Amino acid sequence: MRPATATAAAVTTLIGVGAAAVAVGRLAGDAALKASPGRPLPSDPKVTVHATAAGQVALTRGFVTLRPGTYGIEGPGVHAVVGPVLPDAPHTADSVVRRLVRVDHGALRTGARVRLTPQLYSGDPRTALGLTYADVEIPGELGALPAWFVPGARDTWVITAHGLGTTREHPMNLMGFLHAQQFPVLDLAYRGDPGAPRQPGGLGHLGDSEWRDLDAAVRYAVRNGAERVVLHGWSTGGAMALHAAAHSGLRHRISGLVLDSPVLDWEATVRALAAARRTPRALLPLAVRAAQGATGPHGDRLREAADPEALRVPALIFHGPGDTLAPWGPSRELARLRPDLVTLHTVPDAPHASMWNADPATYEETLRRFLTPLM
């Protein structure tokens, strides 16, 4: 082959490879942001049910199933709740036995493939917790947003926003506690959630556009009697809370923030989601750029919302090193730079958005102390 011909062939090959890499990066970026609410995250591995007994279930032994705390178990047609590991219970070398708290529906059958989830409850506040509530609709920029409202005696409302891989059922983990503290609770379903308007383009924005639905919830609360609101957000819900505190027209009514596993580094979370979907490491930067191209330069806007100098209200952050989707480094840095307003409660061994699950009693006591002056 002549040198010119060989060079042309090589260039054509490189262009083809480059175009293919860009295409794969775009697919990976889209996939990273298409995590449907309530669908397992790509970082949540499946485990096998090995056996069940009275008040016990044996699961495949691994890092996930050995974690301390209380978790939901979900699989085809089944939802259950498991408690702590029972180290003295008889088990095989490849299994671990946990306390079986309850089975909400379906049956845990030997051989079933299930996932652990931070969501302990399914249904609504009445069927799951026995709480009186109302189904309400909040006017949002894309249409009506469904929400659950649990009344309380105080004029400070708590507005909750779930995060990646969960639904508005997730905040029910804390709803009983908040109700006991007499806070009205508004549990929001936002764009992309079941029953809510579809996200334009079908891609999530990790809080960058979704926060406007949280802002709509703040407006609804104030119109209906709230003097002040506390925003409690998990994961992307934490990013939404920061955006609202920085940009809402009613931000003067926001008296505090509770951020659980907050997404504070947009690029790092996109990269982690793409990696969990088995995107080759070399293509992760392309996946991030593709995601930014599809939905906008979110990193800059999130950095602005999470700017320590921009923070004006007390914030309590629950986060820890076990979070592989939202690095906790930015949470530590925010707490270091604003010790006057930010309290970081470190949870050493919990996955993303599962800080309560690891130690519910300590979480709730820490939250109670934070909320007391905001009541």
Side-chain angles (χ1 to χ4, degrees):
M1 182 180 294
R2 293 180 179 178
T5 305
T7 300
V11 169
T12 301
T13 300
L14 287 173
I15 291 173
V17 171
V22 170
V24 171
R26 184 178 299 114
L27 289 173
D30 287 356
L33 297 177
K34 280 184 178 176
S36 301
R39 296 288 299 276
L41 291 171
S43 56
D44 296 338
K46 288 184 178 180
V47 297
T48 301
V49 176
H50 287 236
T52 59
Q56 299 180 6
V57 59
L59 303 167
T60 303
R61 191 176 191 86
F63 180 72
V64 171
T65 53
L66 286 169
R67 287 189 180 113
T70 302
Y71 293 87
I73 284 186
E74 291 181 341
V78 63
H79 185 277
V81 175
V82 295
V85 172
L86 303 175
D88 297 328
H91 60 277
T92 59
D94 62 345
S95 68
V96 59
V97 177
R98 301 189 71 117
R99 183 164 67 88
L100 181 59
V101 177
R102 67 176 187 270
V103 177
D104 293 320
H105 59 258
L108 285 174
R109 305 186 186 281
T110 300
R113 299 283 282 167
V114 297
R115 297 178 189 265
L116 270 66
T117 169
Q119 293 193 174
L120 260 63
Y121 299 100
S122 60
D124 58 49
R126 182 179 293 111
T127 60
L129 300 168
L131 296 177
T132 299
Y133 82 102
D135 284 306
V136 300
E137 286 193 345
I138 297 170
E141 69 173 2
L142 300 180
L145 303 165
W148 292 324
F149 175 66
V150 178
R154 303 192 186 279
D155 54 15
T156 296
W157 290 27
V158 176
I159 303 178
T160 59
H162 70 86
L164 293 168
T166 60
T167 68
R168 60 173 163 159
E169 292 173 318
H170 186 200
M172 285 201 292
N173 287 2
L174 278 170
M175 199 173 281
F177 164 79
L178 293 170
H179 181 69
Q181 306 301 311
Q182 302 183 55
F183 286 103
V185 180
L186 187 63
D187 186 4
L188 176 69
Y190 52 86
R191 60 188 69 188
D193 282 349
R198 182 176 180 270
Q199 179 76 279
L203 298 179
H205 295 176
L206 299 185
D208 189 77
S209 63
E210 294 89 345
W211 78 268
R212 292 192 287 273
D213 293 345
L214 186 56
D215 180 42
V218 173
R219 295 178 182 279
Y220 176 91
V222 170
R223 284 197 305 270
N224 286 275
E227 293 295 327
R228 296 164 300 277
V229 299
V230 174
L231 305 181
H232 191 140
W234 289 256
S235 177
T236 52
M240 291 164 60
L242 283 166
H243 279 293
H247 304 302
S248 171
L250 290 176
R251 56 187 176 275
H252 60 284
R253 296 293 192 103
I254 299 172
S255 61
L257 306 174
V258 183
L259 312 176
D260 186 313
S261 312
V263 172
L264 301 181
D265 186 332
W266 195 89
E267 291 88 347
T269 296
V270 171
R271 192 180 303 113
L273 287 168
R277 295 186 184 276
R278 301 185 179 181
T279 302
R281 181 182 296 273
L283 296 180
L284 292 178
L286 287 176
V288 172
R289 287 201 292 272
Q292 289 174 324
T295 58
H298 298 77
D300 292 338
R301 291 196 289 264
L302 182 54
R303 278 188 289 272
E304 178 185 344
D307 182 352
E309 295 302 319
L311 194 62
R312 296 290 180 268
V313 297
L316 172 62
I317 303 177
F318 294 96
H319 215 164
D323 190 337
T324 60
L325 289 183
W328 76 307
S331 292
R332 287 185 296 168
E333 187 67 3
L334 185 58
R336 185 185 71 81
L337 293 173
R338 291 304 305 267
D340 56 322
L341 286 178
V342 179
T343 300
L344 173 62
H345 179 79
T346 301
V347 183
D349 189 18
H352 184 66
S354 300
M355 305 299 131
W356 176 89
N357 303 78
D359 188 351
T362 300
Y363 188 112
E364 291 178 3
E365 177 58 19
T366 303
L367 180 58
R368 185 192 67 78
R369 293 179 181 180
F370 175 76
L371 291 175
T372 297
L374 305 179
M375 290 179 176

